[in-house]
Amino acid sequence: MAGSGNAHLRSDALLRAQDLVVEFPAAGGRKVYAVSGVSLDLMEGETLGLVGESGCGKSTTGRAILQLPSPTSGSVQVAGQELTELDPDAMREVRPRLQMIYQDPISSLNPRRRVRDIIAEPLFIALENVTRRTAMATWQERIGGLLQTLLERLAIPMRIVGLAASVAFALWILSEAVEERAAEPWLGWTEVPAAIIGFPALAIALAVAAVGLVLGLTWVLLALMLPFSLMSRQFGEVSAPVGIAGVVVTTGASGFMLWRTWSSFGGWAKWVNSGGLGLLTAVLVVWLAASIANPERAGASGVATTLSAMVVLQVFYVAGLDAGVKLIVLVVSIVVDTLLLRWVLRRYRANRNAARERAEPRVREVLEYVGINPDDAMDRRPWEFSGGQAQRLSIARALVSVPQVIICDEPVSSLDVSVQAQILNLLEDLKNLMGLTLVFIAHDLAVVKNVSDRVAVMYLGKLCEVSEPDAMFDEPAHPYTEMLLAAIPQPDPEAELGSGRIDGELPSPMDPPSGCRFRTRCPHAAQRCADEEPEMREIAPGRFVACHTPLIGETAPERVEIASAGRGAS
Amino acid sequence: MTDTSMTGFAGADEQPLLDVADLRTTFHTAVGPLVAVDGVDWSLRPGARLGVVGESGSGKSVMSRSIMRLLPKSRVTSTGSVLFDGIDMMSLGRRELLDMWGPQLAMVFQDPLGSLNPVMKIGKQVGEGLRVHRDLSARAARAAALDLLEEVGIPEPHRRIDEYPHQLSGGMRQRIVIAIALACSPRLLIADEPTTALDVTVQAQILDLLETQRAERDMSLVLITHDLGVVAGRTDEVIVMYAGRIVERAPTATLFGNMRMPYTEALFRSIPKVTDDSHARLEIIGGQPPRMTDLPTGCKFAPRCKYAQELCVAEEPALIEAPAAADSNDGGARRRGTWRDDDLDDDDNDGGAPAGAHLYRCFYPVGTPEAAEAFERNVASGRVSEAGVVIRAS
Ligand SMILES: Nc1ncnc2c1ncn2[C@@H]1O[C@H](COP(=O)(O)OP(=O)(O)OP(=O)(O)O)[C@@H](O)[C@H]1O
Ligand SMILES: Nc1ncnc2c1ncn2[C@@H]1O[C@H](COP(=O)(O)OP(=O)(O)O)[C@@H](O)[C@H]1O
Ligand code: SF4
Ligand code: SF4
Ligand SMILES: [Mg+2]
Ligand SMILES: [Mg+2]
């Protein structure tokens, strides 16, 4: 709270998160203590505001509640059901009942898909996953999750390396072709073209090889785990025969590519190229299979991209064959690919249309709730909307599966004041209409006050104060709340500015202060604050504070100008 | 204190630091010309603080970039005059501009990470301008950079000077950007939404920093934001922009005390205030900001304005001067396109800015009986709800 304790929790809450701890590993074996023992609860139909400075752990708390990822320790109960103990399958069943709305509306919606499909998506996830739980599914899900994280982390380096590798590869092939035709020793003056093309290619390829060596091991690992886990991500649970067939097909295809490239290169190029192409093939095969089996999630352009990438792969492969065979293989494969593409697309469309039809009435309904005309909007794509409209779309998407709890992570922070007001009013209306239960995360106190029934103030991974908003804003009880309040710019030129001086920055969550975490910036800090962590306690009816000397009540210290707060914080 | 010293605008008696006249910037887009800034006039006294407010897309950034001459090279034209201390910015070549940026004008952008070089140490980035403009040695530049870091409140400057931007928090990065902008002691600093990406406490710190530095260096400051709360206590004069135009311009206290433009009023009312009760209904501006390639004729705000009448749709109101607060309501305002329109000048301020004038662009200004009647009529016709939200654009 800036201490701990659960005095503020109530007995009959819809959602109850207790002693949440989230720690992330950091460089040098250190740890980021992002959330350190936060307890929150939420009555049905209530809006809980969560405020605090950037980096204090608001989003991490919100995500921990949704098990994205699960907290390091602590419990989360929704309607009596403990979420932290659910296995992935059961969690997937629960997921549609818990939704999230993000800060940046446009980038949180898939830009390539139409509004009708984006909004309907949670419905399909809800329908699709009522499956048996098996040990295998759990295992697949775990590796899939790990893989997903790995792929996300590696996305940019892989893309760069991939790009460089393909440029180098293309140049290499070109230079070889030129060289072949010249059939003379490397670097004779007639071979200038070959040298011109070859040298940069060599330079790039060498650079790639260096990175490639590092990534090589990762690739091997990925390639081994890939088929099974990617499939389980895409298909849900994979039954053993299907899984084995998938592994055979994928490993076969990537093994073949591996072998082809392996035998056509020498030295380091063998490793880099065959590793890369093998992996690429595996990914493409799985993606292709997934898009055939699960068209709602894949999207037509995904299918097309996959197929065209396969054609490119085939061309690479064909480049290593004799001239006559080359032509035949090329023609056959193009014909096969075209037929395959047609078949896939037709299946995709049929599936998609059926799915759309099923979802349409519900999608229309929620679009109308959020004040967007379904006839105008259904077939457009997210980037054709303004920020405010896009935020309405994300709200519609969150509403479509009739969630019990919605976590809104800074839903208005990136919007203009005028649009912000529209979204805040909309949330208020929807709450009255449907009895929504919301966690509303924001750093703007005025916004939080406007929407919340209860406000929790957070500082560096801990709670400071939990209270009903009007009382909290009239008379902040925690020194940090007072400081936050002082920071708000008042739209009144007469308002005093001097009293709002804020000093210091949030300390590093890798090395939080002892005792009360706010003590390095608190104007009232005393020795006790460094020695002893304050417990959350009720200092007035409905007002819970974690501070040794709260600002209200008989022990209240004399008010100190915030400006005099310790400057030493870094 | 004279009028002029209280307000940001230069009076007739004083040479303005910056004088923007009839500035117009057009992007030539695929769907036709987009006039992002449309005939903007204002000037700024040395040491003054000007706030520029408007929704996103209203042309605030394009205006400041036009003044700095930082627009893209192709498919854009910018006309009008921008005089900086008598120098015509529009006629300067690349070389001369490089000499202006830094020691004369500097700019702070919204996204601190985007305006820093990710692979250059902070100390080097801060000292770079000094080496170029002041011919300092690497050593002297480093020492100066260290002082600057200290001045902008970076804790442990000795350690930070050798770090890279990604090692700093958002607030500290913005301090670095400010240090870079301040390095050559510019006479004018344009801060384009310097705190929009930051949270409230850091915002307060950065705004305080800008203010202390401005006062210490006797620098002029243009503070661009979409949040009226930010400019309230920190500027002398405020310009409100809508669809590339100035729609209201007044000394800060006058603007907040006596706003005339329905748009300013609507913007003000839509801000949630801590002093309101929780769950208080916010007043909203209905509809969307206008599409800049397809502006309505008449008043650009008319489709969203709760007072709009037929006249507003037919004819665009000119920027006129409100009667001084003392003799208010003496039958309305004098017509005054801009204060440079000599033909319209009928009194005192010939050829100069009316110091502390309150200009607005509206036929039915807020607070007048005409506006009240217009609103009544709109409610009666069902165009506007009782709460003042436009239900259907006329
Ligand atoms: N995946 C991660 N790995 C390591 N550290 C993390 C990770 N995610 C968050 N953190 C750290 O945990 C702390 C809390 O982060 P969080 O995103 O929850 O902050 P926040 O309060 O939501 O801030 P903001 O207002 O900027 O969104 C921060 O110090 C952040 O750097
Ligand atoms: N490079 C550009 N090309 C075309 N249009 C632009 C460009 N930059 C800005 N615009 C348009 O100019 C208008 C004003 O933009 P801007 O000044 O960035 O608004 P803001 O007030 O949010 O700073 C907007 O309609 C915007 O889309
Ligand atoms: S008074 Fe002590 S316990 Fe209370 S907030 Fe300040 S440092 Fe923490
Ligand atoms: S009243 Fe008319 S002129 Fe004034 S802002 Fe509204 S629409 Fe424009
Ligand atoms: Mg966050
Ligand atoms: Mg801008």
Side-chain angles (χ1 to χ4, degrees):
Chain A
M1 314 210 123
S4 309
N6 296 326
H8 58 294
L9 296 185
R10 294 158 293 185
S11 57
D12 44 357
L14 170 66
L15 180 144
R16 184 186 177 99
Q18 205 166 320
D19 304 320
L20 288 183
V21 174
V22 182
E23 287 162 7
F24 297 105
R30 303 217 290 163
K31 263 190 202 158
V32 180
Y33 299 94
V35 177
S36 311
V38 165
S39 303
L40 295 169
D41 64 2
L42 207 60
M43 308 295 278
E44 187 152 9
E46 187 179 57
T47 301
L48 173 75
L50 192 56
V51 269
E53 280 165 281
S54 171
C56 72
K58 307 181 295 289
S59 306
T60 311
T61 306
R63 300 179 65 92
I65 291 175
L66 296 187
Q67 314 295 307
L68 293 167
S70 304
T72 312
S73 70
S75 105
V76 179
Q77 289 184 357
V78 176
Q81 188 176 23
E82 175 63 52
L83 300 189
T84 49
E85 284 160 13
L86 291 185
D87 58 58
D89 260 7
M91 190 58 220
R92 233 180 307 170
E93 269 171 67
V94 176
R95 187 130 287 157
R97 311 206 316 254
L98 310 167
Q99 288 290 333
M100 186 133 182
I101 298 170
Y102 297 92
Q103 168 167 359
D104 187 355
I106 297 183
S107 66
S108 67
L109 302 171
N110 185 342
R112 289 186 320 237
R113 306 196 62 192
R114 286 169 205 281
V115 166
R116 59 183 337 133
D117 299 328
I118 292 176
I119 308 263
E121 197 174 37
L123 284 180
F124 295 125
I125 298 177
L127 290 176
E128 166 186 297
N129 290 306
V130 193
T131 45
R132 230 169 359 100
R133 299 163 16 201
T134 60
M136 183 151 135
T138 318
W139 180 80
Q140 286 169 4
E141 182 74 18
R142 271 204 200 124
I143 297 198
L146 188 71
L147 199 76
Q148 190 118 340
T149 334
L150 255 172
L151 281 176
E152 269 160 26
R153 293 263 163 92
L154 287 178
I156 291 174
M158 292 246 282
R159 230 173 274 171
I160 295 169
V161 171
L163 193 71
S166 31
V167 171
F169 190 65
L171 288 173
W172 184 263
I173 286 186
L174 256 171
S175 73
E176 273 193 346
V178 176
E179 197 185 2
E180 217 172 88
R181 187 171 312 160
E184 265 177 34
W186 185 244
L187 273 193
W189 78 269
T190 43
E191 277 65 60
V192 172
I196 289 174
I197 301 168
F199 277 138
L202 203 66
I204 297 173
L206 276 176
V208 174
V211 190
L213 267 180
V214 181
L215 286 180
L217 199 66
T218 330
W219 276 352
V220 171
L221 261 170
L222 284 181
L224 283 177
M225 295 190 307
L226 199 77
F228 240 108
S229 41
L230 252 190
M231 259 189 302
S232 71
R233 275 270 137 166
Q234 295 286 345
F235 296 117
E237 189 194 356
V238 180
S239 67
V242 175
I244 289 165
V247 176
V248 170
V249 172
T250 328
T251 333
S254 36
F256 182 65
M257 280 315 290
L258 238 142
W259 168 69
R260 282 304 313 180
T261 33
W262 183 270
S263 48
S264 36
F265 288 94
W268 52 267
K270 239 187 185 65
W271 291 87
V272 176
N273 289 312
S274 45
L277 283 176
L279 179 70
L280 195 62
T281 319
V283 173
L284 289 177
V285 168
V286 174
W287 256 317
L288 184 64
S291 35
I292 295 170
N294 201 355
E296 279 95 5
R297 288 215 226 156
S301 54
V303 176
T305 320
T306 312
L307 274 173
S308 37
M310 295 201 72
V311 174
V312 174
L313 270 183
Q314 284 163 5
V315 172
F316 273 139
Y317 156 64
V318 161
L321 297 178
D322 295 337
V325 189
K326 202 180 270 188
L327 193 69
I328 299 170
V329 173
L330 207 60
V331 170
V332 169
S333 66
I334 287 174
V335 170
V336 169
D337 287 339
T338 319
L339 290 176
L340 194 62
L341 180 65
R342 271 191 51 184
W343 180 77
V344 168
L345 282 181
R346 198 173 295 155
R347 237 205 97 164
Y348 165 75
R349 290 213 184 95
N351 269 338
R352 184 195 59 190
N353 291 344
R356 274 186 182 165
E357 231 159 78
R358 259 185 297 149
E360 175 148 349
R362 180 72 188 140
V363 172
R364 283 182 168 273
E365 195 181 347
V366 289
L367 280 175
E368 268 159 24
Y369 282 148
V370 299
I372 288 205
N373 182 345
D375 293 316
D376 286 351
M378 295 266 269
D379 288 308
R380 286 158 71 194
R381 289 169 217 269
W383 41 265
E384 295 173 48
F385 293 86
S386 70
Q389 287 172 323
Q391 197 55 285
R392 285 169 193 263
L393 294 178
S394 356
I395 294 174
R397 186 175 189 278
L399 291 177
V400 78
S401 57
V402 200
Q404 282 176 307
V405 177
I406 304 182
I407 297 193
C408 313
D409 191 0
E410 313 240 11
V412 294
S413 302
S414 64
L415 305 175
D416 259 6
V417 267
S418 60
V419 186
Q420 166 179 308
Q422 296 175 4
I423 298 293
L424 292 176
N425 281 355
L426 171 69
L427 283 172
E428 196 76 31
D429 290 342
L430 291 173
K431 216 178 104 179
N432 296 335
L433 192 70
M434 312 181 170
L436 296 179
T437 308
L438 302 176
V439 176
F440 191 97
I441 301 176
H443 64 249
D444 186 333
L445 286 170
V447 167
V448 167
K449 180 179 182 189
N450 184 272
V451 297
S452 308
D453 302 309
R454 209 171 189 225
V455 175
V457 180
M458 205 172 161
Y459 184 79
L460 203 62
K462 302 241 176 196
L463 287 187
C464 296
E465 179 168 0
V466 178
S467 169
E468 180 269 321
D470 287 323
M472 180 188 287
F473 287 81
D474 284 346
E475 227 188 349
H478 196 283
Y480 180 59
T481 316
E482 189 185 39
M483 176 168 137
L484 276 182
L485 273 171
I488 304 174
Q490 295 292 325
D492 171 9
E494 245 81 285
E496 221 185 305
L497 285 176
S499 62
R501 284 282 306 283
I502 311 291
D503 274 316
E505 295 218 5
L506 205 64
S508 161
M510 284 200 263
D511 187 19
S514 66
C516 173
R517 289 195 173 180
F518 184 52
R519 71 178 163 84
T520 53
R521 294 164 82 188
C522 177
H524 310 289
Q527 184 54 42
R528 183 177 174 208
C529 307
D531 301 337
E532 195 186 319
E533 185 177 354
E535 281 273 310
M536 185 65 86
R537 62 203 165 99
E538 186 164 19
I539 53 159
R543 305 213 52 187
F544 299 89
V545 180
C547 170
H548 294 308
T549 47
L551 301 175
I552 57 172
E554 66 283 9
T555 59
E558 244 176 78
R559 298 231 162 196
V560 183
E561 277 274 293
I562 295 277
S564 63
R567 265 188 169 269
S570 61
Chain B
M1 248 196 224
T2 65
D3 252 349
T4 5
S5 64
M6 284 168 58
T7 67
F9 289 93
D13 50 325
E14 202 178 351
Q15 159 93 14
L17 177 68
L18 181 68
D19 186 30
V20 180
D22 202 23
L23 182 65
R24 187 171 318 249
T25 302
T26 309
F27 292 101
H28 305 283
T29 68
V31 286
L34 185 161
V35 187
V37 176
D38 197 356
V40 163
D41 288 281
W42 50 271
S43 66
L44 195 64
R45 179 181 65 77
R49 309 173 297 174
L50 171 72
V52 180
V53 184
E55 280 168 289
S56 87
S58 57
K60 308 181 296 293
S61 301
V62 174
M63 179 177 80
S64 46
R65 285 169 173 276
S66 309
I67 292 168
M68 292 287 287
R69 295 276 316 275
L70 279 172
L71 290 167
K73 287 197 195 61
S74 63
R75 313 192 67 80
V76 47
T77 40
S78 193
T79 60
S81 102
V82 176
L83 295 180
F84 183 87
D85 200 16
I87 303 169
D88 180 7
M89 290 290 288
M90 298 304 235
S91 68
L92 298 186
R94 183 90 197 151
R95 265 270 159 75
E96 295 147 315
L97 281 172
L98 284 175
D99 288 337
M100 298 289 286
W101 294 334
Q104 303 292 340
L105 327 81
M107 194 157 171
V108 173
F109 297 96
Q110 169 171 349
D111 165 26
L113 202 53
S115 39
L116 290 172
N117 181 345
V119 294
M120 199 194 262
K121 285 185 183 162
I122 282 154
K124 208 154 177 212
Q125 299 194 44
V126 176
E128 208 182 15
L130 288 168
R131 295 194 59 181
V132 175
H133 291 287
R134 298 265 163 84
D135 252 344
L136 292 189
S137 68
R139 239 235 186 105
R142 188 181 161 90
L146 206 56
D147 288 343
L148 273 163
L149 292 186
E150 191 128 35
E151 266 181 77
V152 298
I154 299 280
E156 305 170 83
H158 290 276
R159 182 157 70 85
R160 300 293 184 187
I161 194 166
D162 289 317
E163 290 192 342
Y164 292 93
H166 70 265
Q167 291 169 286
L168 304 180
S169 70
M172 278 208 255
R173 282 182 206 140
Q174 195 58 289
R175 284 174 198 264
I176 302 290
V177 174
I178 291 173
I180 295 174
L182 292 176
C184 299
S185 298
R187 296 165 67 198
L188 170 67
L189 182 68
I190 303 182
D192 187 0
E193 313 224 19
T195 57
T196 303
L198 306 174
D199 69 48
V200 263
T201 52
V202 185
Q203 162 164 300
Q205 293 175 336
I206 296 290
L207 293 174
D208 284 347
L209 170 66
L210 282 174
E211 177 51 27
T212 43
Q213 291 295 322
R214 187 204 61 83
E216 256 169 44
R217 294 159 187 267
D218 197 28
M219 183 174 74
S220 303
L221 177 69
V222 175
L223 184 59
I224 300 176
T225 168
H226 66 251
D227 186 349
L228 274 167
V230 167
V231 295
R234 303 174 190 272
T235 56
D236 310 306
E237 191 108 31
V238 176
I239 283 176
V240 181
M241 287 187 76
Y242 191 77
R245 294 152 173 75
I246 292 181
V247 293
E248 184 158 18
R249 183 183 112 182
T252 310
T254 316
L255 185 88
F256 283 90
N258 186 23
M259 41 187 74
R260 288 285 171 145
M261 185 66 198
Y263 176 63
T264 316
E265 182 194 39
L267 210 53
F268 180 76
R269 294 222 176 145
S270 62
I271 309 175
K273 299 170 189 70
V274 255
T275 45
D276 290 346
D277 283 344
S278 104
H279 301 289
R281 191 86 188 155
L282 297 169
E283 287 191 34
I284 60 170
I285 313 181
Q288 298 290 322
R291 284 228 306 279
M292 294 294 291
T293 45
D294 187 18
L295 285 176
T297 54
C299 176
K300 307 304 169 232
F301 186 55
R304 304 166 75 190
C305 177
K306 64 178 177 187
Y307 306 111
Q309 300 293 302
E310 269 161 33
L311 175 62
C312 310
V313 180
E315 202 181 311
E316 179 164 13
L319 196 63
I320 53 176
E321 190 181 333
D327 58 333
S328 63
N329 282 337
D330 60 350
R334 282 167 291 169
R335 258 189 100 79
R336 207 175 234 294
T338 73
W339 47 262
R340 225 170 257 84
D341 284 351
D342 284 344
D343 50 344
L344 287 174
D345 272 345
D346 49 359
D347 58 356
D348 37 59
N349 286 312
D350 266 350
H358 183 174
L359 305 181
Y360 63 90
R361 197 188 275 281
C362 175
F363 295 123
Y364 302 92
V366 177
T368 59
E370 293 81 14
E373 274 168 38
F375 179 55
E376 295 288 304
R377 267 198 296 276
N378 284 338
V379 173
S381 74
R383 183 184 164 265
V384 169
S385 74
E386 293 278 350
V389 179
V390 176
I391 298 164
R392 51 184 167 79
S394 39

